[in-house]
Amino acid sequence: MTGFTVKVSITVNDINDHAPTFPKKKASLKIPEQTAVGTKFSLEPATDADKDQLTVQGYQIKEGNVGQVFRLETKRAANKVLYLDLVVNGVLDREKRSSYSLVLEAFDAGSPRKTGQMSLDVLVQDINDHAPIFNQSRYSAIISESLPQGSNILQVFAFDSDEGDNGLVLYEINRRQSDPDRYFVIEPRSGIITLNKPLDYEVRKVHELVVQARDNASHPEITNAFVTIHVRDYNDNQPTMTIIFLSEDGSPQISEGAQPGQYVARISVSDPDYGEYSNVNVSLEGGDGKFALTTKDSIIYLIYVDQILDREERDSYELRVMATDSGTPPLRAESSFTIHVTDVNDNPPLFDQQAYKQTIPEVVYPGSFVLQVTARDKDHGPNGDVRYSILPDKKTHASWFIIDPVTGIITTATNLDYEKDPKPSFKVVATDGGRPPLSSTALVEIDLQDSNDNEPVFGSSFYNVSIKENTSAGHAFFLKKISPNNKQFQTSKDLHNVSFQQKHLLKNTLQNKLFR
């Protein structure tokens, strides 16, 4: 029962009895499109229970690598594990291919070698690399200016190849480049353009819209399309008239001296509507036949004098101008105004009487009222303003009187003297303010009432008489009159002709003699 202990070492030689195995039979990987070539994505490596050369020696893409857009790279780590990377080898474009189903195979170095496979689904993730594209670059529509607010006009459409928000197209009108007044609005998702405000063909005949289609990405792509909307005219505007009066100050007036054919006013007519609606007919009413209307081109009309005017007969006329278009129903514009007939100095002042008579005492004071004359002038304004004056005449005593130029009141200018002129008369002139002025005259006759304003006056201050002493009582004798300068007055007529100053001197001399 005794013996020796022998240590026996048995080396078990490996045989290739295990195949490489991936941790998962199926895996997925998301890679954004447009990922740069050379970008690596790590995959879980395969394992093999065998050792050394019989373990995993490499990987290959067995199936599904369309276009060879992927390749594999490996790296042996210190733990002997052969790690695997999927490398982008070409351009990924989701819009061309959105996924790849790859079959990856791991193999060892056995003979025959054993392999293991894994299915790898690569999903190409979308990026916003496409802008929306309109199905038309330009859209157009024709609508009536009477189209109700809120009506649909047209629909635009744009397509974006991206997916999700990157491919969701939203529409808007570029207000900075078009339609700042917001005549139109667009539904953001459907692209339907509707009328937002009433249109006016006369304000704008064509509307150009810049419509933007943008996707909903965080950094959206934008594409523009142009929409042309033509507005069709509707008879919604009445004709317009511009009246220019041809007087010097531009007011509605005409001189009564205007001859038939002389123009009073210029009328220009237009209709903002288009085509048949713009044909305008103009007519004139009022004026009692004194005015008429003429035109050469149915655009410019002229009102002219058709009959002789007389301001004194009538100084104004009511006129009405009507402009009617050719629409159905027709629209009309009217303008009423008054034409004033201005005065021409064609009437002289006329006195109420051709002769005025007045009786006054000769002893009135200077400035005393005598009478008032009145003249009337049918003309107007300065042409009818009357001023009075006394016509100078050296043969009469017109200088004894003065007249107020405005009121026509005649007053005395100095002392009157019945003994010089018991019936002074003169002519009064009434003159208007026209250019040239017109005038007329009237005769004024004054009867002076004599007043006892003169004392008896001896013919001479001295008388020299010789009589006989035996002259009987009752005998008359003649006094020889002696003038102050010792000249005799031969008759009583000579005494009457002595001037007022001489009378006064004789009176004083006589008084002095009597006093002495």
Side-chain angles (χ1 to χ4, degrees), residues 280-405:
V280 180
N281 179 55
V282 179
S283 59
L284 177 68
E285 292 183 356
D288 292 344
K290 297 290 186 179
F291 303 92
L293 192 68
T294 184
T295 183
K296 292 182 178 179
D297 54 11
S298 299
I299 297 176
I300 302 298
Y301 289 79
L302 293 168
I303 299 176
Y304 64 93
V305 177
D306 197 36
Q307 296 180 16
I308 293 293
L309 302 173
D310 186 351
R311 191 203 65 83
E312 288 71 39
E313 178 184 327
R314 183 169 179 178
D315 62 358
S316 65
Y317 294 88
E318 296 292 333
L319 300 180
R320 183 173 65 164
V321 179
M322 294 176 294
T324 307
D325 65 21
S326 302
T328 305
L331 298 180
R332 172 183 295 178
E334 295 184 5
S335 180
S336 298
F337 50 88
T338 301
I339 293 291
H340 297 279
V341 181
T342 60
D343 189 47
V344 171
N345 193 25
D346 55 349
N347 291 280
L350 296 178
F351 283 97
D352 292 346
Q353 303 172 218
Q354 289 300 309
Y356 294 83
K357 294 184 179 182
Q358 182 65 288
T359 300
I360 61 173
E362 68 168 327
V363 294
V364 296
Y365 292 103
S368 298
F369 175 82
V370 179
L371 60 87
Q372 183 178 14
V373 298
T374 303
R376 307 178 191 278
D377 195 319
K378 294 181 180 180
D379 293 321
H380 178 69
N383 295 335
D385 292 340
V386 179
R387 297 186 72 85
Y388 303 94
S389 62
I390 294 176
L391 187 67
D393 190 347
K394 295 181 179 179
K395 297 179 180 179
T396 69
H397 290 92
S399 61
W400 287 0
F401 305 92
I402 59 175
I403 188 169
D404 186 284

Side-chain angles (χ1 to χ4, degrees), residues 416-437:
L416 308 178
D417 193 342
Y418 174 87
E419 288 69 30
K420 285 187 178 180
D421 189 352
K423 293 181 177 292
S425 64
F426 52 90
K427 288 186 176 180
V428 177
V429 181
T431 306
D432 61 29
R435 294 186 179 180

Side-chain angles (χ1 to χ4, degrees), residues 203 228 360:
V203 174
T228 302
I360 61 173

